[in-house]
């Protein structure tokens, strides 16, 4: 069974940067397409970023385009979410997700397409 452990969240000020990490174990990392989602209190979980199994294709949500980026290190079995120029609207619990389905070049934006989830890491951005 795959395990995903997020880290790197915290309390920052508007304009700061954070890098979230998601360490994956229990299943061949290279076979996992990965995604990042977030959920603020009282809202639905929303897509943030995704990366294909081969790392060549990525996608970020329009709300974070130009500020966030996603990458992966297969040797470290870790996926990253680099977040720059954070705003209070980015405050949420951030979750990474994994799925072993699909082609090596696919990424996925819908949460139902993922089979495994981490416990989340909280990001709080003060004004």
């Amino acid at each position: 069974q795959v395990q995903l452990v997020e880290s790197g969240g915290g309390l920052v000020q508007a304009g700061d940067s954070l890098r979230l990490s998601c360490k994956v174990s229990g299943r061949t990392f290279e076979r996992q397409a990965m995604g990042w989602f977030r959920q603020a209190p009282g809202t639905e979980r929303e897509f943030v970023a995704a990366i294909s199994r081969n790392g060549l294709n990525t996608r970020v949500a329009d709300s974070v385009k130009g500020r966030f980026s996603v990458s992966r290190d297969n040797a470290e079995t870790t996926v990253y979410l680099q977040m720059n120029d954070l705003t209070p609207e980015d405050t949420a619990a951030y979750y990474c997700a994994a799925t072993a389905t699909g082609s090596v070049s696919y990424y996925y934006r819908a949460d139902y397409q993922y089979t495994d989830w981490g416990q989340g890491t909280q990001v709080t951005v003060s004004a």
Side-chain angles (χ1 to χ4, degrees), residues 4-9 19-23 33-39 45-51 59-61 64 68-72 78-83 93-98 108-109 111 114 117-118 120-121 123:
L4 293 78
V5 179
E6 302 96 334
S7 61
R19 188 177 77 159
L20 304 184
S21 301
C22 175
K23 177 73 172 178
M34 302 297 298
W36 286 96
F37 293 77
R38 67 185 182 186
Q39 188 169 21
R45 184 164 56 192
E46 66 169 337
F47 168 76
V48 177
I51 186 166
R59 180 70 178 261
V60 297
V64 303
F68 290 16
S69 62
V70 58
S71 62
R72 64 190 293 158
T78 300
V79 62
Y80 302 98
L81 182 68
Q82 178 66 43
M83 307 186 295
Y94 283 71
Y95 301 88
C96 69
Y108 302 93
R109 289 178 284 173
D111 56 4
Y114 290 88
W117 293 81
T121 185
V123 173

Side-chain angles (χ1 to χ4, degrees), residues 38-106:
R38 67 185 182 186
Q39 188 169 21
T43 69
E44 294 186 353
R45 184 164 56 192
E46 66 169 337
F47 168 76
V48 177
I51 186 166
S52 61
R53 289 161 56 185
N54 60 13
L56 296 180
N57 296 302
T58 63
R59 180 70 178 261
V60 297
D62 289 344
S63 59
V64 303
K65 191 170 293 183
R67 300 187 297 121
F68 290 16
S69 62
V70 58
S71 62
R72 64 190 293 158
D73 184 335
N74 286 352
E76 295 294 328
T77 67
T78 300
V79 62
Y80 302 98
L81 182 68
Q82 178 66 43
M83 307 186 295
N84 299 327
D85 193 21
L86 286 159
T87 72
E89 289 69 36
D90 296 317
T91 294
Y94 283 71
Y95 301 88
C96 69
T99 181
T101 59
S103 165
V104 297
S105 60
Y106 287 0

